[in-house]
Amino acid sequence: MSRTDLAASFAAVEGLGVAGARPMLSGGAAPSGGFASFVRSGSVVEMKALSGTNDAAGGYAVPREIDAAINATLASISPIRAIANVVKVGSAGYRKLVTSGGTPSGWSGETDGRPETATPTFNEIAPPMGELYANPAASQAMLDDANFDVEEWLAGEIATEFARAEGAAFVSGNGMNRPKGFLSGAVAVTGDATRAFGTLQYLPTGAAGAFSTNPEERLIDLVQSLRAPYRQGASFVMNSATLARIRKFKTSDGQFLWSPSLAAGQPATLLGYPVVEAEDMPDIAANSLSIAFGNFRAGYLIAERTETQILRDPYSNKPFVHFYATKRVGGAVSNSEAIKLLRFSAS
């Protein structure tokens, strides 16, 4: 058959698909454009596969009419990214230099000698990086038959899980193929003048697992331990359980330390500084570092390689379609003078 005859035969077949040739089944219209078109038309370490053969794994969504909007329990996502210094990097070998010590100066008379002064000390910061990944699967029948947008839902689930995982790592990650959290490094009770670079200062509450008498004084000491240049833009970080206790504290004249927000979009304050609720912060316990105060934009560095990458793989595990998502991100304390910790210990 010639090329012309072959083209004509295909044209005849395509002509059967003209409007009105057969009725459209209910729910047969598929989303068009962007990510939805990519995942429906065009893989698998199997975490859990979505399939119409199992009710809990997706079958509930296929055989009957349901609400197209699926409600989900809300996950607690750490807000550390919102207050830290986030940089986009071109490789995993990102480095940052931080100077400490400043450049000393001196006084002299008109004809006195000018001896050499000291120079700043350079410190290299290399945030540990790791790769977040997810690889959920859905059967092609599930993608075709479900009356809600499975692909968009999976993309949202992946984004939420990535945010939860990286948020926990920014607080307490061990630095092994993941960011190193600001609570995972060395801590000491010594001040900025004598403490080694990279070691965070903590202030004890005076009692193991609790506030001592006059807890408001401990909080004031924590604020004042941060030097004035860093207090501009500083905030408290704690979880909701710790915050519930602090919100009940009063001064000697009966005034609450906590000041609720007076306008939409404005954070509540503690001693005049905003409070950030991060559920990844530890609960109050003996020797716990449950409260942080500092300028996190100056003190904590987040380095991310690129945005989340998603690969649609319908070939590796037919009839399932895998959605392989990856994101490379790192983090570390960049300036240990900019973050202070309150430890619930006697000393």
Side-chain angles (χ1 to χ4, degrees):
M1 179 180 291
S2 68
R3 182 186 301 272
T4 302
D5 294 337
L6 186 61
S9 65
F10 276 118
V13 173
E14 291 171 353
L16 297 176
V18 296
R22 61 179 179 181
M24 177 66 73
L25 297 178
S26 175
S32 61
F35 182 73
S37 297
F38 166 68
V39 292
R40 281 194 184 270
S41 61
S43 190
V44 144
V45 175
E46 187 169 333
M47 295 170 60
K48 185 173 182 181
L50 291 173
S51 171
T53 60
N54 182 286
D55 283 345
Y60 286 124
V62 176
R64 57 185 66 87
E65 291 293 327
I66 62 169
D67 189 344
I70 296 185
N71 294 330
T73 56
L74 297 178
S76 295
I77 299 175
S78 176
I80 301 302
R81 172 181 284 271
I83 60 175
N85 178 25
V86 182
V87 297
K88 303 288 185 180
V89 299
S91 69
Y94 178 76
R95 299 290 188 273
K96 181 179 179 63
L97 293 179
V98 179
T99 61
S100 60
T103 304
S105 58
W107 295 94
S108 67
E110 180 180 354
T111 59
D112 293 345
R114 270 68 170 177
E116 180 181 348
T117 59
T119 57
T121 300
F122 285 92
N123 302 279
E124 184 184 62
I125 303 299
M129 299 192 74
E131 188 169 271
L132 271 171
Y133 81 96
N135 199 10
S139 69
Q140 186 61 54
M142 176 70 180
L143 297 178
D144 294 339
D145 297 344
N147 70 340
F148 67 94
D149 193 336
V150 179
E151 298 82 10
E152 183 178 355
W153 171 72
L154 278 174
E157 289 288 299
I158 290 172
T160 300
E161 171 56 25
F162 278 11
R164 185 205 61 78
E166 72 174 18
F170 296 152
V171 174
S172 56
N174 59 15
M176 299 297 293
N177 297 322
R178 70 195 63 194
K180 187 171 185 179
F182 61 87
L183 295 185
S184 299
V187 296
V189 74
T190 50
D192 293 345
T194 57
R195 193 176 66 259
F197 183 85
T199 301
L200 295 184
Q201 181 185 6
Y202 75 85
L203 278 71
T205 60
F211 282 99
S212 62
T213 57
N214 300 322
E216 67 278 6
E217 295 183 3
R218 296 291 89 195
L219 294 173
I220 292 173
D221 291 340
L222 179 65
V223 169
Q224 295 306 127
S225 67
L226 190 69
R227 292 192 289 115
Y230 297 119
R231 287 201 295 270
Q232 300 296 323
S235 58
F236 285 95
V237 178
M238 65 190 77
N239 67 20
S240 57
T242 303
L243 182 57
R245 297 183 60 173
I246 290 180
R247 290 188 63 174
K248 303 170 186 175
F249 291 163
K250 296 181 180 180
T251 61
S252 57
D253 58 357
Q255 297 295 319
F256 283 100
L257 298 180
W258 169 271
S259 297
S261 173
L262 299 179
Q266 296 297 319
T269 59
L270 176 64
L271 298 177
Y273 294 93
V275 179
V276 175
E277 289 188 53
E279 293 307 316
D280 298 301
M281 291 290 289
D283 292 332
I284 294 177
N287 300 319
S288 66
L289 299 168
S290 300
I291 299 176
F293 176 76
N295 188 323
F296 283 79
R297 201 163 302 279
Y300 194 81
L301 173 69
I302 298 173
E304 56 183 7
R305 175 69 173 81
T306 57
E307 291 77 12
T308 302
Q309 304 292 317
I310 299 181
L311 172 66
R312 186 185 195 275
D313 179 11
Y315 308 109
S316 300
N317 189 26
K318 295 185 288 292
F320 292 98
V321 179
H322 282 262
F323 301 94
Y324 177 60
T326 60
K327 181 178 184 180
R328 193 183 304 174
V329 62
V333 171
S334 58
N335 186 344
S336 54
E337 295 183 358
I339 300 175
K340 305 295 181 179
L341 304 172
L342 189 66
R343 189 166 84 165
F344 288 78
S345 62
S347 60

